[in-house]
Every structure is written in structure tokens, then in C-alpha cells.
Amino acid sequence: MSDSNTRLYTWPFGLLCVSSLLFSASFNMLIPELPAYLSGLGGAEYKGLIIALFTLTAGISRPFSGKLTDTVGRIPVMAVGSIVCFVCGFLYPVLGTINGFLFLRLLHGFSTGFKPTATAAYVADIVPVKRWGEALGIHGLCFSTGMAIGPAIGSLITSHYSINVLFYSSSVFAMLSILILLNMKETLKLRESFKLSHLKISRSEIIEWRVIPAALIILLSYLGYGVLLTLIPDWGEHLGITNKGLFFMTFTISSLMIRFVAGKVSDRFGRVAVIKVALIMLCISFYLIGHAQSVADLLVGSVAYGIAGGIFSPATNAWTVDLSHPDHRGKAMATMYIALEIGIGAGALLAGALYKDKIGMIPIIFYISSGACVVALLYILLRERFQGAY
């Protein structure tokens, strides 16, 4: 794409954003209800695996989705991610055992291992270079809108109907995101027909080493998100929140408006400068969440986290694209998401290992999350000093 083309708000970009919103809502609407559902199956001690298993297969599938994105095409890979979500929604009520549930969490993770990787590459293909930050911010806004409405809708459906209706609703949202993809044009110019050899991954095809600085920052920062996903349903209930999706809805809504300007700011002032501000705010937000003594305190922490995330995500995504080679954008985005999944999964495992249904441990775990962001900030400051800001 020529840089002289400065259009951002095109029909393909709009379709992509709506598809991502529906896809995000599809799997996020399950999150607040899964801990109680697993406890009902007799698997309360496995709560840490709800997110960890999901992110495990998401991370494992990234090298494959990255390679397929750069060879077979962006749209087929996006479609695979949505189809997995669609199928899993119908299987949860069927496999109603602890082992069946944990298997489905593994399978469900493939959805986010495929669609976001190809989506990010597609955005970079259709948007001018100088507006990558803004575009990824707007796209992230739509994805975050799905994160906001998903948990709230999920809790509402479960309270008025049943958990099985929630699972089926998740499938419907995933199907809608697939139908939108049918109207989109492939942007990869040199496409190959799918072959089994595409699933053979060499070491050189797993990691895009150019984007490792961004990946390390993302890994450390998303430890706290894994903790949030695992502990907030119980922490919120302990503090008096009745709708388990309220925390997620609050922090996502607070990130929406900031995303309108965060991407533009990173385009103008540089990714690293914006990321440093976001890391400081993430440190503060995790402390506030862990220190909360009431619903109001928790929601203040939620708003702070939403603002921090709204600044952090588009800047780190755009920085990853900046650092990558144009011919390896799929692999670069896969590398970034591998780091993200490792961070979320490690955070979930940490939370599950330390928590063990002891409410008094939750503040300590959030303070640890804050400390991980401090480490990320120190890394980026040292890198800036010895290697430069880019």
C-alpha cells in the first residue's frame, strides 16, 4: 500500500472492526461465569487453569497462524479462529465433566491463536504506515468493546436463562464474525494453497527476533491481566459486586475513549514514550485493585486499569509492526501474541497457585502484578539508554 494513501476509515477496515468486536464478545462473555461453572462441576481447585489452558494453546498455535497468515492468507486464518469459537460454544454443554471442560479450554484457545494474528497483519496491509498507531487504537477499541459488552451480556444471560444458553449465545456471536469475513477481500498478494507442509514449523519460523523488545514488555505487563481474569470474579463478589461482568465492563469502557487519541499520540510522539506512561499507570492500577476495600474502590482501580490498557495496547502493537520486516508481519504479530499469551497464562497459573480460595492472598497477588510492570519499565528505560528510543 502506498503511503500517499492516507485513508483510514474504509469499508474493509470497518468490517474488520465489527468482526473483531463480535469475536471478542464471543469468548469474553464466558469468562465471568466459568469459575462458578467449574466449581459446580467439582473442580474449584482448577480455577487457575481456566485461563492458563486457554492461553497455552493460543500461544502454541501462534507460530502456525503466523506462518499461515504470511503464506495462505489473512482471511482464511481469521475464519479458522472464528470457527473454533463457534464449535466450542456448542460443545461446552455436551462435555459436562471436569476433564471435558478443561479439554475445551485447550481447544477454545486456538481461536485467539489464529484470528488476532491475521487481523493485525490485515490492518497493517490496508492502513498507511503513518497511521498504524491510530488504526490499531481504533481496532483495539472495537475489540475492547466486545470485551466490555461480552461479560455483562454473559452474566445477564446466565442470570435470566442458564449457562447452556450462554454457551449457545457465544457460538452465535462467533458465527456472525465469520459471516462478516465473507465480504472481505484478501490482502496477501503472493498466496499459496494450503498444504500440510505449511504446518511444519522450523525454529526460524517461530520467533521474529526483531520484535523481542516489544514482546518482553508485553509479557511482563500481561501477567496482571491473567491475574485479573482469574481472581476478579471472586474478588468482586467478596467486595459486594453482584454482576460479575461489571468490573470488566467498567475497565473496558474506560479504555474506549482513550483509544481514540492514544494511537494518534504514539504516531506523533513515539511508541516508547507512550509505553512508559502506560506502564506507570498499570503499576498504579494493580495496586489500587489489590488495595480495594469496597466496590467503589475496586471500580476506581478498574477505571485506572482501563485507561492504562487503552494507552498501552495500541502503542505496543504499533511498535511491534514498526520493528518487524514487511514480509514477516504475520510472524511478528504471532511473536507478540505468544508473549502476550505467556504473560496471561503465567499470571493465571500464579494466581491459581497462590490463591487457593484464600481471599487474603488476592491483594498480595495484585501487588506482585504491579511489580512485574515495574520490571518492564526498568527494562525499557535501560534499553532506551543503551540502544536508543526506537
Side-chain angles (χ1 to χ4, degrees):
M1 174 172 288
S2 172
D3 289 355
S4 61
N5 183 359
T6 59
R7 292 185 64 197
L8 170 59
Y9 300 104
T10 60
W11 182 247
F13 182 69
L15 288 176
L16 191 70
C17 288
V18 174
S19 176
S20 292
L21 186 155
L22 292 168
F23 174 75
S24 174
S26 173
F27 67 89
N28 276 291
M29 66 171 55
L30 303 179
I31 291 175
E33 303 303 323
L34 291 184
Y37 177 72
L38 183 57
S39 294
L41 295 177
E45 67 270 28
Y46 300 114
K47 286 182 180 179
L49 295 180
I50 291 174
I51 303 301
L53 292 178
F54 187 91
T55 57
L56 174 63
T57 46
I60 291 173
S61 65
R62 297 293 184 186
F64 298 95
S65 65
K67 182 177 181 178
L68 292 172
T69 295
D70 289 334
T71 53
V72 177
R74 322 307 197 193
I75 292 178
V77 175
M78 285 190 277
V80 168
S82 294
I83 290 170
V84 170
C85 253
F86 171 76
V87 172
C88 285
F90 282 100
L91 290 180
Y92 278 109
V94 177
L95 302 180
T97 64
I98 296 174
N99 289 335
F101 174 84
L102 297 179
F103 166 74
L104 281 178
R105 292 309 290 167
L106 277 169
L107 180 62
H108 209 160
F110 279 103
S111 64
T112 56
F114 272 73
K115 192 173 189 303
T117 300
T119 298
Y122 196 99
V123 170
D125 289 343
I126 64 174
V127 171
V129 173
K130 294 182 179 179
R131 302 188 72 179
W132 276 344
E134 181 182 358
L136 290 168
I138 297 299
H139 175 264
L141 183 153
C142 294
F143 195 89
S144 295
T145 299
M147 291 176 62
I149 66 175
I153 292 174
S155 292
L156 190 65
I157 290 173
T158 303
S159 63
H160 283 79
Y161 300 98
S162 68
I163 189 73
N164 285 348
V165 174
L166 171 61
F167 291 138
Y168 299 143
S169 299
S170 172
S171 288
V172 170
F173 274 69
M175 175 56 72
L176 291 174
S177 74
I178 299 172
L179 294 178
I180 288 176
L181 295 177
L182 297 178
N183 294 316
M184 296 175 64
K185 183 179 179 181
E186 179 58 56
T187 57
L188 183 64
K189 295 180 180 179
L190 301 177
R191 297 180 60 193
E192 301 176 15
S193 298
F194 174 76
K195 297 175 291 187
L196 288 178
S197 60
H198 286 135
L199 300 180
K200 296 180 180 179
I201 304 294
S202 64
R203 290 184 180 181
S204 62
E205 293 174 318
I206 297 176
I207 300 296
E208 174 59 73
W209 293 102
R210 294 175 182 229
V211 304
I212 287 298
L216 286 174
I217 296 297
I218 290 168
L219 189 157
L220 289 166
S221 302
Y222 273 87
L223 284 169
Y225 188 58
V227 170
L228 281 176
L229 294 176
T230 305
L231 299 183
I232 282 299
D234 286 1
W235 188 227
E237 186 177 13
H238 171 73
L239 294 175
I241 290 181
T242 54
N243 186 319
K244 296 177 182 178
L246 180 60
F247 176 92
F248 297 98
M249 181 176 65
T250 301
F251 89 68
T252 308
I253 290 176
S254 69
S255 76
L256 296 185
M257 296 306 297
I258 198 69
R259 285 178 183 269
F260 278 113
V261 297
K264 290 184 179 180
V265 171
S266 76
D267 286 337
R268 181 175 180 182
F269 296 103
R271 319 301 187 197
V272 173
V274 173
I275 291 170
K276 286 189 291 185
V277 173
L279 286 171
I280 293 171
M281 295 188 65
L282 282 172
C283 294
I284 295 171
S285 67
F286 286 129
Y287 174 80
L288 290 174
I289 293 169
H291 193 65
Q293 302 293 318
S294 65
V295 172
D297 291 343
L298 185 61
L299 294 182
V300 168
S302 176
V303 170
Y305 179 76
I307 294 173
I311 297 171
F312 182 79
S313 181
T316 49
N317 288 1
W319 194 31
T320 301
V321 176
D322 290 342
L323 295 172
S324 67
H325 189 282
D327 293 335
H328 301 293
R329 281 179 183 158
K331 183 167 68 170
M333 301 315 296
T335 300
M336 182 197 77
Y337 281 116
I338 288 172
L340 183 148
E341 305 294 357
I342 291 174
I344 296 175
L349 287 175
L350 174 70
L354 296 181
Y355 174 40
K356 297 180 179 178
D357 283 341
K358 297 178 181 177
I359 288 294
M361 286 299 299
I362 289 182
I364 296 173
I365 300 171
F366 279 114
Y367 298 154
I368 293 173
S369 302
S370 183
C373 293
V374 172
V375 174
L377 181 60
L378 291 175
Y379 167 77
I380 205 169
L381 290 172
L382 289 172
R383 182 182 183 276
E384 184 178 26
R385 178 175 180 178
F386 293 108
Q387 296 185 19
Y390 191 72

